[in-house]
């Protein structure tokens, strides 16, 4: 009999590095796989467009009377502001999206899988931030410009509409989109810091709508005017307006300070991810 020789081959697992591109693909899939995120993004789009059109219709109705037309002509009709009213509610909605994107993973435990895949953790946060920023910019950008054109079409029936090429109009529209993206990223930072969806949403909403109201009674002698100017949600006010409000920072400096706030919140979230256990 002849002996048969078997050659045993050893199989070694192939180590694959997780690239940032891989993290981006993963986060993109996760972003559009979470039902609450999809619903919230759709609601933000509908709110920006729908409320903008409704307010424009209400403004046109007020202009139909002689007294209303005279009063608005004397005080100035903020045609862009009327069609951008929905963007104010949109900031609340996209802030919630930013919180949910990361805090939701902590509540389900999915974040453990993400951190096992990318132990550095900061790559996960960076990928989430980029995916969030791109999606919010595209969805709300389309909504903002659609709300503007529909709103101006309504107001044009009373000859109060404005064109996108008029002074400050395009800047105001882009400013609204920039604020929406920034607020969403701020929500991401707060979500990473608190790791709780309800707590994160309450915190970011309070910072946008409640704290500015609490700062108003502070007298100027105590620095109340500067506190209002430099508070997170007030810094970019003029970037969203055609006519600049002297109570707030100018559009350029305001956007810069707003960006510093957003980066600071993202930085705190990143620090929490690196120093706290899952």
């Amino acid at each position: 009999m002849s002996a048969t020789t078997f050659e045993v081959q050893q199989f070694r697992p192939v180590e694959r590095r997780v690239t940032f591109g891989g993290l981006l693909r993963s986060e993109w899939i996760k972003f559009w796989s979470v039902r609450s995120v999809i619903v919230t993004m759709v609601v933000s789009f509908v709110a920006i467009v729908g409320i903008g059109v409704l307010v424009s219709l209400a403004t046109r109705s007020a202009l139909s009377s002689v007294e209303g037309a005279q009063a608005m002509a004397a005080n100035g009709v903020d045609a862009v502001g009327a069609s951008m009213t929905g963007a104010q509610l949109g900031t609340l909605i996209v802030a919630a999206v930013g919180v949910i994107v990361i805090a939701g993973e902590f509540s389900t435990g999915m974040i453990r899988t993400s951190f096992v895949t990318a132990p550095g953790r900061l790559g996960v946060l960076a990928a989430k931030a980029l995916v969030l920023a791109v999606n919010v910019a595209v969805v709300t950008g389309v909504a903002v410009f659609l709300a503007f054109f529909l709103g101006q079409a309504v107001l044009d029936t009373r000859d109060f509409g404005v064109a996108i090429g008029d002074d400050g109009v395009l800047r105001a529209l882009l400013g609204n989109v920039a604020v929406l993206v920034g607020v969403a990223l701020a929500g991401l930072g707060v979500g990473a810091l608190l790791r709780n969806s309800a707590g994160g949403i309450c915190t970011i909403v309070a910072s946008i709508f409640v704290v500015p109201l609490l700062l108003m009674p502070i007298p100027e002698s105590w620095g109340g005017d500067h506190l209002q100017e430099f508070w997170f949600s007030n810094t970019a006010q003029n970037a969203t307006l055609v006519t600049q409000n002297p109570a707030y920072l100018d559009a350029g400096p305001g956007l810069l300070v707003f960006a510093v706030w957003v980066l600071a919140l993202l930085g705190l979230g990143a620090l929490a991810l690196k120093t706290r256990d899952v």
Side-chain angles (χ1 to χ4, degrees):
M1 295 178 63
S2 59
T4 303
T5 303
F6 293 96
E7 199 174 305
V8 179
Q9 294 182 346
Q10 292 183 345
F11 293 93
R12 297 180 179 178
V14 179
E15 295 184 2
R16 296 182 182 274
R17 288 187 58 189
V18 178
T19 64
F20 187 66
L23 289 175
L24 284 176
R25 287 192 295 273
S26 173
E27 293 302 329
W28 185 277
I29 293 171
K30 285 192 288 185
F31 186 91
W32 290 110
S33 299
V34 180
R35 184 178 301 175
S36 59
V37 171
I38 296 174
V39 171
T40 312
M41 291 294 289
V42 171
V43 170
S44 68
F45 185 94
V46 173
I48 292 171
V49 178
I51 295 176
V53 173
L54 287 175
V55 173
S56 298
L57 287 169
T59 303
R60 185 185 69 175
S61 178
L63 291 169
S64 62
S65 66
V66 176
E67 295 81 3
Q70 290 176 344
M72 289 192 175
N75 298 324
V77 178
D78 187 358
V80 176
S83 57
M84 288 296 101
T85 306
Q88 299 176 17
L89 178 60
T91 58
L92 165 63
I93 301 172
V94 297
V97 172
V99 173
I100 294 170
V101 162
I102 191 164
E105 287 198 36
F106 277 102
S107 63
T108 61
M110 177 68 72
I111 199 70
R112 293 187 178 90
T113 304
S114 300
F115 287 164
V116 168
T117 305
R121 299 189 176 189
L122 295 187
V124 174
L125 181 64
K128 285 182 180 295
L130 184 55
V131 168
L132 176 66
V134 170
N135 281 294
V136 171
V138 172
V139 173
T140 63
V142 173
V144 161
F145 279 87
L146 183 59
F148 169 77
F149 286 118
L150 291 177
Q152 300 318 301
V154 170
L155 292 175
D156 270 340
T157 60
R158 294 289 185 271
D159 295 326
F160 275 97
V162 297
I164 196 169
D166 292 348
D167 289 342
V169 173
L170 182 59
R171 188 207 66 236
L173 298 180
L174 294 177
N176 274 283
V177 177
V179 169
L180 287 162
V181 173
V183 168
L185 291 174
L188 179 67
V190 172
L193 183 62
L194 299 183
R195 304 185 174 192
N196 180 274
S197 296
I201 292 173
C202 289
T203 299
I204 194 70
V205 169
S207 70
I208 296 172
F209 293 105
V210 179
V211 175
L213 296 177
L214 297 177
L215 293 177
M216 292 178 66
I218 299 177
E220 186 176 343
S221 58
W222 291 7
D225 53 341
H226 294 301
L227 288 174
Q228 292 183 56
E229 277 184 332
F230 287 92
W231 178 250
F232 164 63
S233 58
N234 288 342
T235 53
Q237 285 287 340
N238 275 327
T240 65
L241 303 174
V242 174
T243 303
Q244 301 290 278
N245 188 334
Y248 299 111
L249 296 171
D250 290 340
L255 276 177
L256 181 60
V257 176
F258 179 70
V260 171
W261 270 100
V262 173
L263 290 175
L265 291 171
L266 283 173
L268 290 174
L271 182 63
L273 292 184
K274 287 292 289 184
T275 58
R276 292 169 57 188
D277 196 4
V278 178

